[in-house]
């Protein structure tokens, strides 16, 4: 196998990791939000953490791996003069601000609400509200939509 | 043929992502479940594995037809069955399917039965702990199960010229 194949495989592997992480996190947090037992909700939210880590690691690595793949495959300017690669890059970069502006601050609020709910021994309205946070819900849907569009672009390679 | 090829390839890749995501999720949930200290925690996580299993099962069923369709739409002769890396992928899948029926499903049933018994007794029993730990040849079967899908993806991406 040549470098072209190895780097492309790495990029595809990272993409699979990202999709698996998004899927797993979605499934477990949806179940946690639906739970009426605070310990069950906590257990499921905790179980989602490996998926969250996958999203963070794969989300960070996917763009460098993609640019490296484009470079090794001989695309000029790391592929950024190729329509579908440019759009994909913009979509991936557009997810970055969600971390400092949504996930980190809202995650702190969620942790506080979960801690307080566990102390009281019941699912509090604050915890319910944290699970249903519209900003987080929007950010997660945006991530899913952006990743889906990027996958379609990678496969179909339109407006080359 | 262009639109059919694009759509079937997209469907095939979606099934591959569903299969890997489902398999990975199920393994992660069951691994976390096996490390729980309470029966409630263990049951919660084994139940949480169910959606991953469903996604993996549906994707696993559809991955082969969509793959053959994609090969046909892309113009491979004989649905790709004369192309080395496609035949290699099919061989890996055939062994995986055999293991599902011979090892994974019976083991899943055994874990479920032990879980029910443990729930009735109110604590995690040694036999339930043991059911989560495959021994001997079964461990190799699980290792194969973990590695087959990535190996198939590697074949799909790299398309080695064996034909």
């Amino acid at each position: 196998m040549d470098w072209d194949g190895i780097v492309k495989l790495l990029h595809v592997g990272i993409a699979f990791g990202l999709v698996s992480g998004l899927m797993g996190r979605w499934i477990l947090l949806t179940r946690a939000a639906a739970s009426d037992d605070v310990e069950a909700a906590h257990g499921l939210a905790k179980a989602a953490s490996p998926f969250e880590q996958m999203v963070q690691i794969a989300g960070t690595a996917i763009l460098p791996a993609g640019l490296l793949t484009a470079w090794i495959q001989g695309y000029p300017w790391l592929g950024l003069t190729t329509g579908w690669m440019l759009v994909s890059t913009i979509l991936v970069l557009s997810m970055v601000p969600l971390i400092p502006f949504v996930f980190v601050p809202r995650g702190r609020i969620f942790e506080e609400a979960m801690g307080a709910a566990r102390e009281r021994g019941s699912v509090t309205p604050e915890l319910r509200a944290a699970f249903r946070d519209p900003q987080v819900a929007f950010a997660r849907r945006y991530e899913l939509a952006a990743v889906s569009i990027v996958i379609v672009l990678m496969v179909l390679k339109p407006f080359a | 043929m262009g639109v059919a090829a694009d759509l079937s390839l997209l469907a095939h890749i979606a099934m591959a992502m569903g299969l890997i995501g489902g398999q990975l999720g199920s393994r992660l949930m069951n691994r976390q479940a096996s490390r729980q200290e309470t029966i409630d925690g263990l049951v919660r996580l084994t139940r949480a594995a169910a959606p991953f299993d469903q996604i993996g099962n549906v994707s696993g069923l559809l991955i082969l037809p969509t793959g053959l369709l994609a090969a046909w739409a892309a113009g491979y002769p004989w649905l790709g069955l004369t192309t080395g890396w496609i035949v290699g992928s099919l061989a890996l899948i055939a062994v995986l399917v055999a293991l599902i029926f011979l090892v994974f499903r019976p083991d899943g049933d055994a874990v479920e039965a032990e879980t029910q018994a443990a729930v009735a007794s109110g604590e995690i029993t040694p036999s339930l702990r043991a059911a989560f730990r495959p021994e001997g040849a079964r461990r190799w079967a699980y290792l194969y199960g973990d590695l087959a899908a990535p190996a198939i993806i590697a074949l799909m991406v790299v398309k080695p010229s064996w034909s």
Side-chain angles (χ1 to χ4, degrees):
Chain A
M1 199 194 306
D2 54 11
W3 280 108
D4 179 1
I6 291 169
V7 174
K8 190 176 174 189
L9 190 56
L10 179 72
H11 183 48
V12 170
I14 292 168
F16 271 84
L18 182 58
V19 171
S20 299
L22 288 171
M23 193 173 97
R25 186 181 71 184
W26 187 283
I27 288 171
L28 290 171
L29 291 182
T30 303
R31 285 177 83 97
S35 178
D36 292 324
D37 175 354
V38 68
E39 287 308 316
H42 176 254
L44 290 165
K46 202 173 152 195
S49 60
F51 296 101
E52 182 64 48
Q53 283 178 336
M54 282 168 66
V55 171
Q56 286 172 6
I57 293 168
T60 306
I62 193 119
L63 187 58
L67 295 173
L68 186 64
T69 308
W71 175 68
I72 284 199
Q73 290 189 339
Y75 283 91
W77 291 94
L78 300 174
L80 295 177
T81 54
T82 304
W84 61 271
M85 283 197 208
L86 180 63
V87 174
S88 300
T89 303
I90 291 168
L91 280 169
V92 170
L93 288 175
S94 73
M95 289 188 278
V96 174
L98 297 175
I99 299 166
F101 293 117
V102 180
F103 291 128
V104 171
R106 296 284 160 174
R108 283 199 202 107
I109 293 169
F110 175 79
E111 290 297 332
E112 283 171 18
M114 179 60 87
R118 289 187 77 201
E119 275 179 21
R120 284 184 56 178
S122 64
V123 177
T124 59
E126 291 77 19
L127 182 58
R128 287 252 180 261
F131 267 125
R132 291 184 187 142
D133 189 325
Q135 285 192 33
V136 176
F138 168 80
R140 293 215 169 109
R141 287 194 185 110
Y142 181 82
E143 272 184 333
L144 269 180
V147 168
S148 302
I149 293 168
V150 170
I151 291 168
V152 171
L153 290 172
M154 293 281 150
V155 174
L156 303 186
K157 299 177 176 56
F159 39 89
Chain B
M1 197 64 93
V3 175
D6 287 345
L7 290 179
S8 55
L9 184 58
L10 267 178
H12 185 52
I13 289 169
M15 293 308 118
M17 290 193 155
L19 181 61
I20 294 279
Q23 208 178 22
L24 192 67
S26 177
R27 293 283 279 155
L28 271 174
M29 286 301 96
N30 283 306
R31 188 174 297 172
Q32 288 191 52
S34 71
R35 291 174 183 162
Q36 292 295 301
E37 298 297 323
T38 65
I39 188 67
D40 285 347
L42 185 146
V43 169
R44 187 184 305 134
L45 291 178
T46 52
R47 297 294 173 263
F52 293 102
D53 287 332
Q54 283 172 346
I55 291 170
N57 289 343
V58 172
S59 304
L61 271 177
L62 294 175
I63 198 158
L64 190 57
T66 54
L68 294 173
L69 186 64
W72 169 75
Y76 283 93
W78 292 94
L79 300 174
L81 296 176
T82 55
T83 304
W85 62 269
I86 295 180
V87 175
S89 304
L90 288 172
L92 288 169
I93 289 174
V95 175
L96 192 59
V97 170
L99 288 175
I100 288 170
F101 288 102
L102 296 172
V103 179
F104 304 147
R105 283 212 175 149
D107 278 9
D109 293 343
V111 167
E112 182 58 31
E114 291 295 345
T115 303
Q116 295 298 336
V119 167
S121 73
E123 61 180 8
I124 299 173
T125 59
S127 52
L128 176 55
R129 290 259 184 238
F132 273 110
R133 282 195 303 269
E135 300 281 335
R138 301 182 104 76
R139 284 181 67 177
W140 290 103
Y142 280 93
L143 183 64
Y144 181 89
D146 287 342
L147 296 179
I152 293 167
I153 290 168
L155 287 174
M156 298 280 153
V157 172
V158 178
K159 299 180 176 59
S161 51
W162 298 338
S163 53

